Amino acid sequence: MTLAPDSITVTRPMSAPPTERPVLPLPGWAIEAFAAHDISPMISRIVGESMGLAFADSRDDTAFVEALHRSVTENASTLKDVLCGEVGLGNLLLVHPLRFAELEAERRVPHASLQRSYRNSFAIQWDEWAGVLAEAAENADVSRLDALAAVVALTRTIGSYTEVVISSAALSFSRSEDAFKKSRAHVRQRLIREILDGSGEVLSPADLMTLDYSLGGHHLAVQLPEVPQVDSQRIVNALRTSVSPMHTIVYPVTLGSSVVWLGSSKPWSDDRMVRAVDLLGSMEVRASVSEQAAGLSGFLRAFEEVRSVEEIRASVDSGELPDVVRYRDLRLEILLMRDRQLAAEFVASELGPLAEHTSEASKLRATLEASFRLGSHVAAAEHLQLHEHTVRNRLQKAQDLLGPTQDRRTELQVALRLWRIMNVA
């Protein structure tokens, strides 16, 4: 769900709320110190603590973290300008904090988390500026009364600024939340989320009409790890043309990643699935494709399959896997990686010296794997573009290091596949 441009974002200055105590001017020696102070470390601290205190569930969502960083940066920079007298409280033009509030509403972040993050942010900023003020007062050798007056002025200024910003952010959050609650797309996202977490297994007829996707059909899931929901429609339209699903539905896994389900009234043939994979490859997008599965359990299973593929993809070096990966091609790795410790011990036990991170071990692994897969050292030599004697010597060296390999072909082939995934020493 994307809001219409400028539907909520403030385009006019924020108004300072009435206050019983007017903001007091800061002395010149304090303003001079504030202007020279570097706020970059403080911004990083605020972002880090906010992710831990208020947004822990989104710490792996890169787009969310970047949006928070832009919000905190603009907020802290504007407060610095206010303290230095360059901007008045009645003329604040904040963009990113309000956009971040809209984003929080879209991501269904609790309002209490927004409040918690702001309270922590301004507590950090008060501590930071109070420290700068104390040091400046000492360097300027001002009287205790003048220093105290400056602290009062600082506190009132930050307090008034905080009230303006929090009120505006809360209003932006509420407006966005109301807009999303009323949108059909938002309701569909909620229904999918409830299905995935197990709380929406029984949907009402009205819910099923809103979902507009038959859960009783045959499903194929495609995760697009680098395509946000807002940009997925082009790919969905191409898949509709290529493989003719009866229904499609898109769900945003994160801000920058989405999953598409393709529903069919009949089982997906391998030919249709291959056409889907080929199409995705021609569009030059990264994608994970499930196997076909039926019914509500199949809807859930297809989702888990593409998520499992993405977990494996995140574990390998770039280039180890093609851009488009089918679950069927990684089923063995996914099964064995459910216990990473056991898998690591298996690889180390089977490969021994060949599991080392050396050029020699890498050559022996590649030669052994090619020999197993192709069935002969002649075919392996052709595949690796090496002389047959070189391949024969490498296989002999591998056998010297590993012992007899003929009776352990299965174990060694599995260990070699796991090594690529785990990169285990």
Side-chain angles (χ1 to χ4, degrees):
M1 170 65 184
T2 302
L3 295 177
D6 299 326
S7 59
I8 293 179
T9 302
V10 172
T11 57
R12 60 181 183 277
M14 298 179 184
S15 300
T19 176
E20 296 180 0
R21 297 182 178 181
V23 174
L24 301 175
L26 286 157
W29 54 267
I31 292 175
E32 182 178 349
F34 291 161
H37 186 64
D38 179 15
I39 61 175
S40 298
M42 178 180 68
I43 290 171
S44 297
R45 179 188 169 193
I46 292 172
V47 172
E49 291 196 13
S50 294
M51 290 305 304
L53 289 173
F55 312 120
D57 291 341
S58 300
R59 65 172 67 253
D60 294 327
D61 192 331
T62 302
F64 186 93
V65 177
E66 290 175 353
L68 172 61
H69 194 279
R70 288 192 293 268
S71 173
V72 172
T73 299
E74 184 177 14
N75 218 335
S77 300
T78 303
L79 176 56
K80 179 178 179 178
D81 290 342
V82 170
L83 294 175
C84 293
E86 296 179 8
V87 176
L89 286 175
N91 298 298
L92 300 181
L93 286 169
L94 294 176
V95 175
H96 291 297
L98 302 190
R99 287 179 178 172
F100 184 68
E102 295 174 5
L103 179 59
E104 288 176 287
E106 179 180 353
R107 299 292 294 145
R108 295 177 62 84
V109 174
H111 188 268
S113 295
L114 179 147
Q115 297 284 349
R116 188 181 304 116
S117 67
Y118 268 110
R119 285 197 301 270
N120 181 67
S121 170
F122 285 115
I124 292 174
Q125 292 186 72
W126 188 92
D127 288 343
E128 183 86 2
W129 292 120
V132 174
L133 184 68
E135 183 177 353
E138 183 176 354
N139 292 338
D141 196 25
V142 301
S143 68
R144 181 174 297 180
L145 287 178
D146 287 341
L148 180 60
V151 171
V152 172
L154 172 70
T155 303
R156 288 191 184 179
T157 301
I158 292 180
S160 296
Y161 179 86
T162 301
E163 186 175 358
V164 172
V165 174
I166 290 182
S167 297
S168 299
L171 180 60
S172 180
F173 182 96
S174 297
R175 287 175 174 173
S176 298
E177 189 175 47
D178 289 341
F180 282 112
K181 284 180 178 178
K182 294 174 182 177
S183 73
R184 184 170 178 268
H186 176 68
V187 174
R188 293 180 82 194
Q189 290 182 23
R190 175 181 59 79
L191 292 173
I192 296 173
R193 184 165 45 250
E194 291 176 355
I195 291 170
L196 295 177
D197 66 21
S199 61
E201 294 187 2
V202 180
L203 300 182
S204 68
D207 287 338
L208 292 173
M209 289 183 62
T210 301
L211 191 63
D212 193 24
Y213 182 93
S214 175
L215 294 173
H218 299 265
H219 314 287
L220 188 69
V222 177
Q223 179 158 357
L224 304 167
E226 297 175 347
V227 180
Q229 182 190 23
V230 68
D231 297 329
S232 65
Q233 196 57 50
R234 176 180 66 91
I235 298 172
V236 173
N237 290 341
L239 286 168
R240 285 173 177 164
T241 301
S242 176
V243 297
S244 303
M246 183 173 63
H247 300 290
T248 61
I249 195 166
V250 183
Y251 178 69
V253 180
T254 67
L255 290 178
S257 172
S258 54
V259 169
V260 180
W261 281 270
L262 308 173
S264 176
S265 59
K266 58 183 180 181
W268 287 83
S269 67
D270 194 62
D271 176 66
R272 288 177 79 196
M273 295 175 67
V274 169
R275 292 207 310 271
V277 170
D278 289 345
L279 172 68
L280 292 166
S282 69
M283 299 184 77
E284 298 183 347
V285 295
R286 290 178 62 188
S288 296
V289 183
S290 74
E291 293 303 290
Q292 73 100 21
L296 175 59
S297 62
F299 184 88
L300 298 171
R301 177 180 172 184
F303 178 74
E304 290 302 320
E305 287 183 355
V306 294
R307 298 288 283 163
S308 296
V309 173
E310 283 305 314
E311 288 178 5
I312 294 294
R313 190 197 295 274
S315 302
V316 303
D317 295 332
S318 59
E320 282 287 333
L321 294 176
D323 286 340
V324 182
V325 183
R326 291 182 64 173
Y327 173 80
R328 64 184 293 179
D329 296 328
L330 287 178
R331 280 183 294 191
L332 178 60
E333 286 84 352
I334 291 169
L335 173 64
L336 296 174
M337 289 289 285
R338 289 179 179 173
D339 188 329
R340 294 185 65 91
Q341 180 62 35
L342 189 60
E345 292 173 357
F346 175 80
V347 170
S349 173
E350 290 297 325
L351 296 185
L354 267 65
E356 296 176 358
H357 291 269
T358 64
S359 175
E360 181 68 14
S362 178
K363 293 176 182 178
L364 296 179
R365 284 194 303 271
T367 306
L368 189 61
E369 188 172 25
S371 175
F372 283 150
R373 180 159 47 87
L374 300 174
S376 73
H377 70 275
V378 175
E382 184 177 350
H383 172 73
L384 298 171
Q385 295 185 334
L386 296 172
H387 194 280
E388 292 179 28
H389 293 302
T390 302
V391 170
R392 188 181 294 110
N393 290 337
R394 287 185 183 178
L395 291 175
Q396 182 60 51
K397 187 166 185 178
Q399 185 164 317
D400 292 342
L401 292 170
L402 299 175
T405 60
Q406 204 61 28
D407 294 336
R408 297 165 50 211
R409 289 173 60 96
T410 301
E411 290 84 352
L412 288 170
Q413 284 180 284
V414 170
L416 288 166
R417 290 178 65 171
L418 278 177
W419 194 96
R420 292 201 310 273
I421 298 297
M422 301 184 67
N423 200 22
V424 183

